[in-house]
Amino acid sequence: MKIVVGITGGIAAYKAPELVRLLKKAGHEVRCAATEHALEFVTRVTLETVSGAPLYSDLFASGRTEHISLKDWGEMLVVAPATANIIGKVAGGIADDALSTLLLAFSGKPVIMAPAMNCEMWAHPAVQRNVETLKGWGICMVGPEEGELACGVNGMGRMAEPEQIADAICTMAAGRLAGQRWLVTAGPTYERIDSVRFIGNYSSGKMGFALAEALAEQGAEVELVTGPTYLNVSTYQRISLHRVESAREMYSAATEVFPRCNGAILSAAVADYRPAECADHKLKKNGNEGMHLDLVQNPDILATLGSMKTDKQTLVGFALETDNEETNAQRKLEKKNLDFVVLNSLRDKGAGFGVDTNKVTIIARDGSKTESPLLSKKEVARLIIETITP
Ligand code: PMT
């Protein structure tokens, strides 16, 4: 894997060359990016020698936009050590030097941080809030650990050892799901009434896109079939995006790719009904009279995949419920031949349509349940993947 190691200005920066050496030994290509303060603790020559590549540390040095080429080159970005300062900058969207600019530009790909700082700084509510914000965006934290700190006191704030950071990186790089292909459905469907109107719903696609990214993070190839949404995945190479509009188009795309997949997670909010006829012009108001739409049923994609499923495939459906939640979700699991159902209750605040957070209960075929607290959709996606692919 092509890994960018970012180094910031903390005493633990002296361990960064060892981390680079371990990553190179494990077969990864490494380039380093350091802040000005980091270079007070570790030299340019050392970092360039161990990585075998020029160091990126000055936004304007070459007159080129290095942060753009490095963000395209790198498949993963690791910041070790990550000071309170860099964590705060990313959380606040600040890009005022080479590394912070690269961090903001490095979207859609895995980022790992190994925090290191004094224990009082680590405990500060601002730092804790910033760490939670970054975790919510999907940034993975390794450490810190408890132990003797450079300032002489014992406490939480020591950077994890390079071996431990390298292990976390290599596990993520190898990916538990490498060699697997998964289907994910996302977003709403639009069912046309006439040339300007449709029946739709409030799904934004955020949950489905987060699931696709969480699967790709673990090394899986993903076929993401999405209804209309403004979201994109341009930066994640392992995700093939299929944009569709209606339930019938989603049905065709999903049933076509499913036989080649190890599993499928259907998080799309598919319209159960569509207008029996779609006018090819804009329908006009008819005096003061009301209007009747004849609706016909759409195909049930999940139930169809349930009937196609082999013993080797895992099928996961979502259930969006407003009452009798668990009973209804269990019913869907059995009726549609699912291995897991992810229950979303619209009664939970901060969960469901449009928002960046979700709260779910994952119910397995054997009845076991995994409940999540209210988390970012990225974290919920990771929990779902962990639960369904143990
Ligand atoms: O997109 P977001 O804004 O992030 O919101 C996420 C979400 C709320 C849409 C998502 O978390 C969610 O709950 N998705 C399921 C929504 C839904 O339509 O649930 P349902 O109970 O009506 O459908 C049950 C299951 O059958 C779902 O897996 C659905 O994808 C599937 N289905 C439904 C109808 C149909 N014709 N074909 C299907 O495959």
Side-chain angles (χ1 to χ4, degrees), residues 126-181:
V127 173
Q128 286 303 310
R129 180 202 58 201
N130 292 339
V131 167
E132 287 311 310
T133 300
L134 299 197
K135 280 200 209 162
W137 293 340
I139 293 180
C140 177
M141 298 283 164
V142 181
E145 313 222 300
E146 199 155 349
E148 195 182 340
L149 304 173
C151 50
V153 298
N154 262 295
M156 183 65 90
R158 231 176 112 96
M159 186 173 87
E161 289 304 322
E163 289 77 8
Q164 194 188 334
I165 304 169
D167 252 18
I169 295 166
C170 292
T171 308
M172 204 183 249
R176 283 186 309 111
L177 304 180
Q180 296 200 12
R181 180 176 300 279

Side-chain angles (χ1 to χ4, degrees), residues 199-211:
I199 296 173
N201 61 66
Y202 295 113
S203 171
S204 61
K206 287 177 183 172
M207 191 64 241
F209 275 61
L211 284 161

Side-chain angles (χ1 to χ4, degrees), residues 203-207 266-270 272 299-302 317-320 332 336 344 352-354 358 377:
S203 171
S204 61
K206 287 177 183 172
M207 191 64 241
L266 273 58
S267 69
V270 185
D272 287 323
D300 191 317
I301 306 165
L302 187 57
F318 268 65
L320 184 64
K332 273 182 187 152
K336 302 193 186 189
N344 240 172
F353 289 125
N358 211 354
K377 282 186 173 159

Side-chain angles (χ1 to χ4, degrees), residues 324-338 341:
N324 291 329
E325 290 100 327
E326 283 205 18
T327 314
N328 288 337
Q330 290 269 15
R331 234 177 249 149
K332 273 182 187 152
L333 184 136
E334 278 150 36
K335 200 168 145 213
K336 302 193 186 189
N337 191 25
L338 312 181
V341 65

Side-chain angles (χ1 to χ4, degrees), residues 258-259 261-262 305-315 337 339:
F258 184 60
C261 293
N262 297 77
L305 299 192
S307 67
M308 292 166 70
K309 183 167 88 83
T310 66
D311 289 349
K312 293 198 171 87
Q313 289 175 305
T314 304
L315 184 58
N337 191 25
D339 298 292

